[in-house]
Amino acid sequence: MKRIRTQAAAPQLFTSTMAHIQGNLPLAMKEENERFFRHFVGTPSTSYGADVGKQIKLTGANVSLPVDLDGKTEAEIAAAKKGAEIETVCEVEITKEMCNIYGTLHGGCAAYIVDLCSSTAVVCYGLYTGTDGTGVSSSMNLHWHRPITAGKKLKITSNTVFVDGLIRNARSELRDLQTNKLYVSAVHSTLAGGSRTAALRKSNKDKTEKTNSKL
């Protein structure tokens, strides 16, 4: 029998409502996705790019299903959820610190933004299906269509493409928030596992069990 690993609860890094996040996913899933996101952003003292990551805001989380769930059996619902597509939306304003000497978004910073934002879709898929959406990057392919100058406000839309077993693929588009002009498109692939991810899962599980034992 195939063992399904579920995501451990993310650390409680902040206390605020995520009611501003649009979309049809339950509020609890939006909040948990946000907690995972902030955990992996980290702080300037612990993580590369945290000054950039903390400026990215999760503003949307949606699920699209291949069939209507009404009247379906539990087995049919589980199968339909496995075929779900998750879409997340993030927003960020490009600042001078994110730019190269020409005043446009640095390619490395664009990759960092894609890394974080595309991962929100895969993690959200895990939360929705009761499986594990965390993992480590295996590849990232970016196409720069236009330069992005400082001061531009971006909408980053990410969609799950393929999630099965150890393999997860998501695509992202960086577009102008006002005009919808496409600047960057990308595909990001991740793999389940990795010692750091496994350690995070175990740490979160231990904390959750310890908290529950006190209730």
Side-chain angles (χ1 to χ4, degrees):
M1 180 180 293
K2 183 178 179 181
R3 185 169 65 91
I4 299 177
R5 295 179 298 179
T6 57
Q7 273 173 198
Q12 301 290 321
L13 297 181
F14 65 97
T15 54
S16 66
T17 178
M18 293 293 105
H20 69 278
I21 300 177
Q22 302 298 308
N24 61 3
L25 279 170
L27 180 59
M29 289 185 186
K30 295 175 183 176
E31 292 175 338
E32 189 69 4
N33 198 12
E34 173 74 9
R35 281 191 281 270
F36 269 95
F37 180 74
R38 293 303 159 195
H39 174 76
F40 286 113
V41 167
T43 65
S45 63
T46 63
S47 303
Y48 168 83
D51 283 331
V52 173
K54 69 182 182 181
Q55 298 181 58
I56 301 173
K57 297 179 180 179
L58 181 64
T59 60
N62 282 284
V63 58
S64 298
L65 292 167
V67 295
D68 191 336
L69 298 183
D70 289 343
K72 296 291 190 295
T73 65
E74 288 187 10
E76 290 172 332
I77 290 174
K81 283 188 172 184
K82 187 176 180 181
E85 178 180 333
I86 299 294
E87 178 180 277
T88 58
V89 180
C90 298
E91 295 178 10
V92 67
E93 181 174 349
I94 303 306
T95 64
K96 180 180 178 181
E97 292 72 25
M98 303 178 194
C99 295
N100 55 31
I101 59 172
Y102 302 108
T104 60
L105 179 65
H106 192 286
C109 189
Y112 174 77
I113 291 172
V114 168
D115 178 53
L116 286 176
C117 294
S118 62
S119 296
T120 64
V122 179
V123 167
C124 217
Y125 177 92
L127 293 171
Y128 182 71
T129 59
T131 57
D132 184 2
T134 61
V136 293
S137 296
S138 62
S139 68
M140 187 183 294
N141 188 17
L142 286 85
H143 294 275
W144 284 265
H145 306 288
R146 298 179 176 87
I148 310 172
T149 54
K152 292 288 187 182
K153 294 181 179 180
L154 302 183
K155 176 178 69 174
I156 304 99
T157 303
S158 301
N159 297 79
T160 52
V161 176
F162 180 84
V163 184
D164 189 26
L166 298 178
I167 303 172
R168 300 88 188 275
N169 305 121
R171 62 176 178 266
S172 295
E173 292 184 344
L174 279 63
R175 291 180 177 270
D176 190 290
L177 184 61
Q178 277 74 43
T179 67
N180 205 41
K181 182 182 293 185
L182 178 64
Y183 292 114
V184 177
S185 58
V187 175
H188 182 204
S189 298
T190 60
L191 294 174
S195 59
R196 293 179 183 273
T197 303
L200 172 63
R201 292 194 198 103
K202 185 178 186 304
S203 175
N204 289 339
K205 182 179 179 181
D206 291 345
K207 289 178 182 178
T208 301
E209 291 177 348
K210 184 176 181 181
T211 300
N212 292 339
S213 68
K214 293 180 179 179
L215 297 178

